[in-house]
Amino acid sequence: MAQKSLADALGIQPGVVLRTFGMRRSGNHAIINWLLRNAHMGSVFLNNCSVGRPARRTWRSIEVNGRRASITKGDPISGVTSKARDGALVIVSYEDFSPDPDEMGAEVTPDLSKSEVTHEVLFYRDFMNWSASLLKKIQANDDQDALVCLRIMMVALDKYRDMLQLITQAKSLGVVPVNYDRWLTRPVYREKVLQTLGLPCKDNSLGKVQPYGGGSSFQKDAVNASDLKADQRWLTMANDAAFQIVLLAASQDKELIGLMQKLMPKDAELLANYLDQAQFPYIVQVGDT
């Protein structure tokens, strides 16, 4: 049986269609909100869909023309999405997932073929601030002790390395990488991203702090994204014992360090200087037993 297409389920003829990927604490929703604000003919955002299952059924929430839609799971999504006009920007997002280069088509989104996707977009964040933000977020969970937090971070380091590897192949794969740190601090960078994605530059501000994922891990009361100090997170965590262990573990991954040197040389240097200052590894004198 042929798979019903996402366009049919939406009840509109989409314009630019973006399929986005990104790990947690990489500014996914901040950047997506900005993209939605720059839509030309309205917008539909299917948030945090499930990999390998139809996007029309597995969204966690839906926004239409920048507003959260009220819809019951199981109801046809066209009841809300048809309010967007033909030619609307459609964004289908996947979180904490870095696709295999051979699985960028129907294997990820069965009701959205690769030919229907205008651009595949990969959000990422420079290592030092990403690792600090993710650890801070995990530590906020009362039911997770230090050891559990470190286990989660070790798994995340593997995913992060795989994502950076994908970014090195972005051009050949037709993937558009968007760096959160540059997006935060460089208006010209934001303009170039919009141009690459075929969107007009109507609003190049950072907008409001998004509620998805609990908002900022550090500044819970921040309203405007311009008030965040998201490019300085690692400084806040510099003397956290668990963060020091994470950085030491990362420094032992030669492939990760090599990717950092290519994609974010400043962070590679920051990490090296940090470990030198902390005098890692420690020299331990073991006496006779």
Side-chain angles (χ1 to χ4, degrees):
M1 183 181 297
Q3 179 74 244
K4 183 178 180 180
S5 74
L6 179 59
D8 289 339
L10 293 173
I12 59 170
Q13 185 58 45
V16 173
V17 178
L18 306 179
R19 180 161 46 194
T20 68
F21 307 95
M23 293 186 67
R24 287 183 292 168
R25 319 320 297 176
S26 294
N28 302 14
H29 289 103
I31 300 172
I32 287 174
N33 174 263
W34 166 73
L35 293 172
L36 296 173
R37 286 185 277 119
N38 285 284
H40 181 57
M41 301 287 286
S43 62
V44 174
F45 171 35
L46 303 184
N47 173 51
N48 198 7
C49 298
S50 298
V51 175
R53 297 175 61 197
R56 68 181 187 275
R57 294 176 182 163
T58 59
W59 43 268
R60 297 290 180 89
S61 61
I62 298 179
E63 287 187 19
V64 179
N65 296 332
R67 294 180 177 274
R68 186 79 68 98
S70 178
I71 180 173
T72 302
K73 279 282 188 179
D75 289 348
I77 62 175
S78 59
V80 294
T81 58
S82 60
K83 296 176 183 178
R85 293 182 290 174
D86 286 345
L89 167 65
V90 174
I91 299 180
V92 179
S93 81
Y94 295 90
E95 295 181 24
D96 212 21
F97 173 72
S98 181
D100 185 278
D102 298 325
E103 297 179 351
M104 300 293 282
E107 293 84 355
V108 175
T109 318
D111 52 354
L112 182 65
S113 68
K114 187 170 179 62
S115 63
E116 294 173 300
V117 178
T118 311
H119 293 288
E120 310 276 8
V121 184
L122 182 59
F123 305 129
Y124 72 107
R125 188 175 186 177
D126 289 350
F127 175 77
M128 296 294 282
N129 288 319
W130 167 77
S131 55
S133 184
L134 180 58
L135 179 59
K136 181 72 170 180
K137 178 67 175 178
I138 296 169
Q139 289 175 332
N141 299 323
D142 294 334
D143 59 338
Q144 294 177 344
D145 60 21
L147 185 56
V148 172
C149 291
L150 287 171
R151 286 173 180 166
I152 295 172
M153 289 299 299
M154 295 305 109
V155 173
L157 285 178
D158 281 341
K159 291 184 178 181
Y160 184 82
R161 183 189 60 241
D162 292 344
M163 180 195 64
L164 294 190
Q165 185 62 55
L166 184 60
I167 292 171
T168 64
Q169 305 173 58
K171 188 173 182 179
S172 62
L173 294 172
V175 175
V176 179
V178 181
N179 181 284
Y180 180 52
D181 301 78
R182 295 177 205 163
W183 179 85
L184 272 173
T185 57
R186 304 181 189 176
V188 173
Y189 179 80
R190 298 197 290 270
E191 291 179 12
K192 289 181 178 178
V193 170
L194 291 174
Q195 184 178 17
T196 299
L197 298 179
L199 297 173
C201 186
K202 298 164 59 180
D203 182 350
N204 206 21
S205 69
L206 299 178
K208 303 290 186 182
V209 176
Q210 297 300 296
Y212 298 99
S216 170
S217 301
F218 293 81
Q219 295 168 266
K220 291 299 183 184
D221 297 328
V223 175
N224 297 312
S226 58
D227 295 331
L228 297 177
K229 299 178 181 177
D231 59 336
Q232 302 175 35
R233 297 311 189 199
W234 76 270
L235 293 169
T236 305
M237 296 290 285
N239 292 306
D240 183 278
F243 185 56
Q244 293 176 351
I245 294 172
V246 170
L247 295 186
L248 181 58
S251 74
Q252 304 307 300
D253 188 328
K254 293 182 179 179
E255 184 179 358
L256 174 59
I257 296 301
L259 290 166
M260 288 174 60
Q261 289 170 340
K262 290 180 182 179
L263 297 170
M264 51 195 75
K266 181 179 177 180
D267 270 45
E269 183 179 0
L270 283 173
L271 177 59
N273 291 340
Y274 180 97
L275 295 175
D276 285 345
Q277 183 179 344
Q279 297 182 342
F280 286 126
Y282 294 122
I283 304 300
V284 178
Q285 299 295 332
V286 180
D288 296 332
T289 58

